[in-house]
Amino acid sequence: AWNHFRRPGTVVFALVCLGMVLSAPGVLAQVAVSDDFSGPALATPPWDFVDPVGDSSVLQANGVVTLSVPAGSNHDLWTQGNESARIMQAVPDSDLQVEAKFESMPSAAFQVTGLLFEESPGHYTRVDFYHDGSNLHLFAASFVANVPSVHTNVTVSGSSTGWLRVDRTGDTFTVEFSFDGVNWIPGPIFSHNLALSEVGVFA
């Protein structure tokens, strides 16, 4: 999951859960398709593999999906547009909770992997882990016409596995993260006006 300095590598994730948050407290009704990736191949639909640069790959096997990008080309999500390799799923524009388990974590500059909430090209929110060469960071930013507004960029103490959970209620995004899937650490809460059309995981 590499950006900025074009490092090669792979990101592996094992679980993506999606659900619609209802107004009744504690009630979660699924409207999108959660996936444990236990099938022999990536299910299309609901997933769509997006490869803007044309040199990335996706593989599903043994209960995990692996997104791979090579060295020598840009796969960043920044002002030049979204060049990340990703799998995306169409969802209704409604309140939503998304949780993903990442079996591999960024460990070198400037690797990045995370969740993507998209309205249209250039209009999206990203929530992710990235590495600056010395430390792991939790990062979140929203984009309008590829112009970013950074919501958080903080150093975190991680491990080889990580989880991200994002609740989107109206225009409010509430982020949590974990390194064991049990103990959740509060992240940023921010607002971004987004007519949601797709969610997914990127590298």
Side-chain angles (χ1 to χ4, degrees):
W2 325 137
N3 68 0
H4 299 300
F5 293 117
R6 306 177 182 182
R7 293 227 179 221
T10 61
V11 58
V12 182
F13 52 95
L15 176 69
V16 174
C17 299
L18 304 100
M20 179 180 177
V21 180
L22 302 181
S23 58
V27 176
L28 187 68
Q30 186 174 341
V31 296
V33 180
S34 296
D35 204 338
D36 63 2
F37 304 112
S38 58
L42 187 69
T44 54
W47 297 107
D48 181 30
F49 173 52
V50 183
D51 179 19
V53 182
D55 59 2
S56 304
S57 64
V58 62
L59 174 68
Q60 178 172 310
N62 302 316
V64 299
V65 166
T66 302
L67 291 171
S68 300
V69 297
S73 59
N74 183 16
H75 298 91
D76 202 3
L77 303 80
W78 204 239
T79 55
Q80 84 288 351
N82 184 355
E83 303 294 340
S84 68
R86 54 199 185 269
I87 60 168
M88 302 296 291
Q89 181 181 146
V91 295
D93 181 26
S94 59
D95 295 348
L96 192 74
Q97 182 184 81
V98 180
E99 179 182 320
K101 176 186 179 185
F102 298 89
E103 295 282 0
S104 63
M105 292 288 283
S107 59
F110 273 88
Q111 300 172 351
V112 58
T113 186
L115 298 174
L116 190 64
F117 301 79
E118 187 174 49
E119 174 180 315
S120 58
H123 192 171
Y124 60 91
T125 291
R126 57 179 275 194
V127 179
D128 52 84
F129 295 112
Y130 86 86
H131 205 281
D132 66 8
S134 299
N135 298 293
L136 185 69
H137 291 245
L138 177 71
F139 183 84
S142 295
F143 295 74
V144 177
N146 290 317
V147 177
S149 297
V150 175
H151 304 298
T152 194
N153 183 7
V154 295
T155 301
V156 295
S157 298
S159 66
S160 59
T161 305
W163 284 255
L164 286 172
R165 179 189 290 161
V166 178
D167 280 295
R168 185 253 193 176
T169 304
D171 292 335
T172 301
F173 290 76
T174 302
V175 178
E176 296 176 284
F177 64 100
S178 176
F179 297 112
D180 60 11
V182 176
N183 299 295
W184 290 88
I185 303 165
I189 300 173
F190 59 89
S191 293
H192 180 59
N193 185 1
L194 191 73
L196 188 64
S197 63
E198 292 187 313
V199 298
V201 180
F202 73 87

